[in-house]
């Protein structure tokens, strides 16, 4: 087991290194990206641009710039007159603040948005999927699959404004979504994020409903399920102890990746609902050509996805020992 885990971790580190190298080349070395000019501003003289280039170290060879960036992540580095402690992701061109500090300030919003949406779409998606499987061919099945088709066809930039218009601006049943720290006021935290949660849950639950239904039907048709029934076990035990547990393996895989993607960049959701999270920060950094922030957000999203893959692999290794031999 330890050998399997070590292989997965080393593979994840290699993938992150490759992503970091490619992202660095795209943002800092690609033609048309004059990093020093972007950091200096539009009114800088050529002399000022050269001075900023020297302070940022972008006048060095490319390999040395990349080595300095990697070294800053693990040991910190000095940028101009500022010492950036590890893990150093640079300083924002926009406000001259440490990128890591800026991201950490926005991360609670994205975490809150992600975790609340996950709880909702799991309850809705898995619940409807089980209902459809247990009532196959009946009205409940048609209703659940109709919801899945309708929800899966929606897009955040369409559904989000519609929910805002319906519940906020038209009927005034709810307030404009806002973020309140959980420990400051848990009730206000939940009520301020309920619309974004619902928006994400409606769209994502559709996939979980279809997946749960198909896997439940597959499990219920297995030979060992028929054997358990023949021994006189009640339907509740058959559904929960055997079919449901087996059906949750693919759901757990999809869930791990979905959480990573949501954490890595809920750009559209946060932009539509004007929530000051990491996704909105990414959109703002693109508009402002704030390269250090853009690169840090990309690396953060990649780290979430790679970590989620490792966790899912480990969970599968515990469930099915044959996975460890791959």
């Amino acid at each position: 087991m330890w050998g399997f885990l070590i292989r997965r971790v080393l593979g994840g580190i290699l993938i992150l290194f490759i992503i970091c190298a490619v992202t660095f080349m795209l943002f800092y070395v690609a033609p048309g990206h004059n990093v020093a000019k972007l950091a200096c501003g539009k009114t800088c003289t050529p002399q000022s641009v050269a001075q900023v280039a020297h302070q940022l170290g972008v006048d060095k060879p490319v390999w040395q710039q990349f080595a300095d960036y990697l070294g800053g992540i693990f040991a910190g580095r000095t940028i101009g007159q500022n010492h950036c402690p590890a893990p150093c992701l640079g300083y924002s061109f926009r406000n001259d603040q440490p990128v890591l500090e800026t991201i950490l300030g926005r991360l609670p919003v994205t975490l809150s948005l992600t975790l609340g949406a996950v709880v909702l779409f799991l309850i809705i998606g898995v619940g409807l999927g089980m209902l459809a499987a247990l009532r196959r061919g009946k009205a409940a099945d048609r209703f659940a699959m109709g919801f899945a088709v309708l929800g899966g066809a929606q897009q955040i930039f369409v559904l989000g404004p519609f929910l805002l218009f319906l519940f906020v601006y038209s009927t005034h049943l709810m307030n404009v979504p806002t973020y309140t720290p959980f420990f400051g006021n848990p009730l206000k935290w939940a009520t301020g994020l309920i619309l974004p949660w619902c928006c994400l849950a409606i769209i994502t639950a559709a996939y979980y409903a279809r997946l749960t239904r198909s896997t439940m039907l597959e499990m219920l048709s297995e030979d060992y399920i028929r054997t358990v029934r023949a021994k006189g076990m009640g339907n509740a035990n058959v559904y929960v102890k055997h079919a449901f547990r087996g059906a949750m393996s693919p759901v757990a895989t999809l869930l791990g990746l979905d959480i990573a993607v949501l954490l890595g960049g809920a750009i559209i959701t946060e932009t539509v609902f004007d929530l000051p999270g990491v996704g909105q920060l990414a959109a703002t950094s693109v508009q402002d050509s704030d390269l250090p922030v853009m690169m840090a957000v990309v690396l953060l999203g990649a780290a979430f996805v790679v970590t989620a893959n490792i966790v899912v692999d480990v969970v599968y290794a515990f469930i099915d020992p044959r996975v460890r031999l791959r």
Side-chain angles (χ1 to χ4, degrees):
M1 181 62 193
W2 285 108
F4 171 83
L5 179 59
I6 291 172
R7 290 197 303 272
R8 289 296 186 268
V9 171
L10 291 178
I13 292 174
L14 177 61
I15 292 173
L16 284 177
F17 174 80
I18 294 173
I19 292 174
C20 184
V22 172
T23 307
F24 185 86
M25 296 299 174
L26 288 175
F27 285 161
Y28 283 84
V29 186
H33 279 184
N34 190 330
V35 177
K37 189 173 182 180
L38 290 173
C40 186
K42 298 180 179 180
T43 60
C44 287
T45 63
Q47 293 78 11
S48 300
V49 172
Q51 183 179 0
V52 171
H54 180 71
Q55 291 176 349
L56 295 178
V58 295
D59 55 347
K60 301 177 182 178
V62 174
W63 67 267
Q64 191 171 353
Q65 293 182 45
F66 184 60
D68 290 343
Y69 189 86
L70 284 182
I73 295 177
F74 296 101
R77 59 181 173 138
T78 300
I79 304 177
Q81 298 180 347
N82 300 318
H83 175 69
C84 183
C88 176
L89 298 175
Y91 280 80
S92 169
F93 291 168
R94 183 184 182 191
N95 53 25
D96 199 32
Q97 296 295 316
V99 172
L100 182 62
E101 180 181 314
T102 303
I103 290 179
L104 291 179
R106 301 287 192 106
L107 193 57
V109 181
T110 303
L111 283 173
S112 299
L113 180 63
T114 299
L115 296 179
V118 166
V119 171
L120 271 183
F121 70 61
L122 273 182
I123 293 174
I124 297 173
V126 174
L128 286 177
M130 287 191 64
L131 178 65
L134 300 181
R135 296 290 185 269
R136 182 180 182 182
K138 298 182 180 179
D141 183 16
R142 291 192 289 271
F143 168 78
M145 290 303 96
F147 170 84
V149 171
L150 183 61
Q154 301 303 313
Q155 297 294 330
I156 294 175
F157 55 81
V158 175
L159 184 59
F162 173 75
L163 293 178
L164 285 172
F165 171 78
L166 181 62
F167 293 103
V168 177
Y169 303 119
S170 179
T171 61
H172 304 286
L173 293 175
M174 304 182 70
N175 295 323
V176 177
T178 56
Y179 174 74
T180 301
F182 175 80
F183 294 103
N185 189 328
L187 180 60
K188 193 174 181 181
W189 169 82
T191 55
L193 293 174
I194 189 64
L195 271 185
W197 288 345
C198 290
C199 182
L200 284 172
I202 290 172
I203 296 172
T204 312
Y207 301 102
Y208 283 85
R210 289 198 296 266
L211 179 62
T212 303
R213 179 183 184 275
S214 62
T215 51
M216 278 290 292
L217 290 176
E218 182 180 349
M219 294 303 300
L220 290 173
S221 65
E222 293 287 340
D223 291 337
Y224 80 92
I225 294 292
R226 287 194 290 269
T227 303
V228 169
R229 287 183 185 275
K231 290 182 177 180
M233 181 174 287
N235 285 335
N237 285 330
V238 171
Y239 295 149
V240 177
K241 293 182 64 175
H242 296 280
F244 179 72
R245 288 179 62 183
M248 285 302 99
S249 294
V251 172
T253 303
L254 184 61
L255 176 63
L257 298 179
D258 278 343
I259 292 176
V261 170
L262 287 174
L263 284 172
I267 297 177
I268 300 177
T269 308
E270 292 177 0
T271 302
V272 168
F273 292 99
D274 195 25
L275 295 172
V278 176
Q280 192 184 75
L281 176 65
T284 303
S285 66
V286 171
Q287 295 173 357
D288 297 338
S289 297
D290 199 342
L291 299 186
V293 176
M294 292 165 59
M295 181 165 179
V297 172
V298 170
L299 293 180
L300 178 69
F304 280 136
V305 172
V306 170
T307 302
N309 274 281
I310 294 174
V311 171
V312 168
D313 286 343
V314 172
V315 170
Y316 257 93
F318 278 106
I319 296 174
D320 186 355
R322 294 173 298 178
V323 176
R324 305 175 196 176
L325 302 177
R326 296 177 185 175

